[in-house]
Amino acid sequence: MNTRLSQLLADLEQDTSADVANAFAGLVVDYFAATRTGDGRVSTASTPSEIAARFDEPLPQSSRPVAEVIARLERDVLADCNRLMHPRSMGHQVSAPLPAAVWTEALTGALNQSGAVWEMSPVGTIIETQVVRWMCELAGYGPGAGGTFTSGGTEATFAGLLAARQAALPDAWTQGVGANPPVVICGEHAHYGVARAVGELGIGTGNTVVVPSREHRMDVDALERTIGELVRNRRAIMAVVATAGSTATGSFDDLDAIGRVCEAQGLWLHVDGAHGASALLSSRHRGRVAGIARARSIAWDPHKLMLMPLTASVVLVREERDLEAAFSQHAPYLFHAREGERAWDQGVRSFTCSRRIDALKVWVAIQRYGALALGSLYDHLCATAQALFDMLETRPDFRVLHAPESNILCFRYVGTRHRPDAELDALNLELRTRYNLGGDGWITSTVLGGRRVLRVTMMNPRTTSADLARVVDGLSRLGADLEPR
Ligand SMILES: *Cc1c(COP(=O)(O)O)cnc(C)c1O
């Protein structure tokens, strides 16, 4: 054996030791501690090229002591990462993850069970099946329901719509969708993943029909008119996509009303609940998703409002066989089901082949904290958005654009005297950039009703009302500085 290989084999064994484990875990513990009090920056002020310069080196050819690599992680990686555990991190829909789920990630990696086939993940497959079953029950689905973990809401919606396509066009798998495919109806605030799925499925994005919103929700009267028109024009409809927790404002479509319309017309309803389906855990907010069981398929991201680390997402279907029909290609060397028996292999219902058991961290978090506490956490994050709304309503220099329905709030800096909207658009855009660069807090912005607005998403249980006040004051001071005199 050459010396390089024998050195490597020795290193591999050394790296299984508690000392090395503690050194890696120590980075995480230090990060959790350093972000607890809200000291330090939320995000980096470095530019992409500054960060790139730090990592620009020839391919390392030889081994290094593990301590050196860990020191470099601390110095070069941790220093400029977005610190989502910081209480004034209020940007995108990415969580300050639950610690028990974070620690489980190392175990998931160590065990490296592959999710498609039961024989490769004899416990992982069962845990995934069980977590999916709990989620189906929360959604109000019956015993015939099922689902699978996915890489995110984007894949979950893709899989739900693939199942819808299979139901509408059973020959599409082998023959393609033909020259006159059915249309997909969605709300104007639908996530871009819906249009993307329609494109990927060969339906053509030109066959998406967009229903306007009223108060950031799908206008159900307009939906009925749209369906009526399509039916009169003899256009087939593949699916209606409703949103539970929209990306811009966290608003919920009326799933019960939309579900009734779809049932009356025999239409497949897919609910994009990537953000908001976690309301099912909450006793206070569950009403927002009333009627969700009317959906034939649901996308739901535990990596959003169940605060899982990336990634953990599921697609649920009311009839498990709909998902199996969607992926109706069989790989006999892999999947084993006896005639008439349900296949445990999740690969028969999934887009992916090799896949981590992301269900394990969800299962651990539910074991450790309990579903009721996760529901309270959902309520807490919504209450934090509501507290910010209440705070902003009292201020003359801000205007809130909607009452929060979940943990997302859009608002606009309007300054100290009247200014034209276009000027305020530019001012708000600049305000967001400059505020984030300052490092004291981190927010996003979006365009709502054609106007540039500021947007926050509460994804961190550590955020307090003192943090909210500090963000508002910081934005107000900076806004005043940026206002043209
Ligand atoms: C986040 C989100 C998505 C996309 O989900 P990913 O997990 O990022 O792929 C889709 N729809 C809605 C409503 C979302 O909030």
Side-chain angles (χ1 to χ4, degrees), residues 30-362:
D30 289 349
Y31 165 68
F32 285 160
T35 46
R36 182 171 298 125
T37 54
D39 295 328
R41 299 180 59 93
V42 181
S43 65
T44 181
S46 303
T47 63
S49 45
E50 282 164 355
I51 296 173
R54 187 187 308 156
F55 292 96
D56 181 13
E57 61 179 333
L59 179 68
Q61 300 288 350
S62 307
S63 76
R64 292 188 178 131
V66 68
E68 221 175 85
V69 177
I70 288 170
R72 186 139 187 242
L73 279 174
E74 186 162 20
R75 190 179 66 239
D76 291 348
V77 176
L78 272 160
D80 286 294
C81 283
N82 290 337
R83 297 163 88 214
L84 301 175
M85 293 294 291
H86 189 296
R88 287 188 301 282
S89 168
M90 303 177 186
H92 294 282
Q93 298 151 276
V94 187
S95 72
L98 301 180
V102 170
W103 298 123
T104 306
E105 292 285 48
L107 187 63
T108 302
L111 296 172
N112 210 27
Q113 311 285 289
S114 188
V117 194
W118 175 80
E119 70 171 28
M120 294 169 80
S121 50
V123 181
T125 296
I126 306 304
I127 284 186
E128 176 166 326
T129 306
Q130 182 62 44
V131 172
V132 163
R133 180 173 304 155
W134 285 334
M135 295 173 86
C136 284
E137 284 167 8
L138 284 165
Y141 277 170
T148 182
F149 270 65
T150 63
S151 60
T154 305
E155 184 196 325
T157 283
F158 171 83
L161 290 181
L162 183 68
R165 192 189 76 173
Q166 188 62 24
L169 298 174
D171 295 330
W173 190 269
T174 49
Q175 309 294 319
V177 300
N180 189 22
V183 301
V184 173
I185 301 175
C186 67
E188 69 168 285
H189 53 264
H191 190 268
Y192 74 87
V194 175
R196 179 178 285 225
V198 172
E200 289 162 341
L201 291 166
I203 302 299
T205 54
N207 290 308
T208 314
V209 179
V210 176
V211 177
S213 295
R214 199 190 285 167
E215 310 255 306
H216 312 295
R217 298 184 201 115
M218 187 189 283
D219 179 340
V220 183
D221 294 334
L223 171 68
E224 284 195 280
R225 281 196 300 275
T226 301
I227 293 173
E229 226 164 273
L230 289 164
V231 169
R232 270 193 303 284
N233 294 331
R234 297 180 189 286
R235 288 302 306 273
I237 300 167
M238 188 180 103
V240 174
V241 181
T243 305
S246 64
T247 307
T249 56
S251 306
F252 288 79
D253 287 346
D254 184 342
L255 303 182
D256 201 49
I258 295 170
R260 285 172 195 278
V261 170
C262 290
E263 277 164 16
Q265 303 283 341
L267 297 177
W268 185 291
L269 172 62
H270 173 78
V271 170
D272 179 359
H275 190 75
S278 295
L280 288 163
L281 292 158
S282 152
S283 46
R284 183 172 305 169
H285 289 271
R286 197 181 297 145
R288 301 257 182 221
V289 286
I292 195 169
R294 297 182 188 278
R296 295 285 295 268
S297 53
I298 300 170
W300 178 355
D301 277 357
H303 66 220
K304 301 238 174 102
L305 280 166
M306 288 173 76
L307 304 197
M308 289 298 121
L310 295 169
T311 60
S313 168
V314 297
V315 57
L316 307 177
V317 282
R318 198 164 70 199
E319 300 294 337
E320 186 177 60
R321 59 174 179 270
D322 284 338
L323 203 52
E324 292 165 9
F327 297 102
S328 59
Q329 174 195 33
H330 289 291
Y333 65 95
L334 269 183
F335 304 127
H336 308 279
R338 282 206 213 101
E339 200 62 42
E341 267 181 35
R342 177 187 178 274
W344 286 102
D345 298 335
Q346 283 291 71
V348 301
R349 341 191 145 86
S350 170
F351 180 73
T352 51
C353 180
S354 297
R355 165 157 69 79
R356 293 152 42 90
I357 301 295
D358 284 318
L360 186 60
K361 64 194 171 197
V362 180

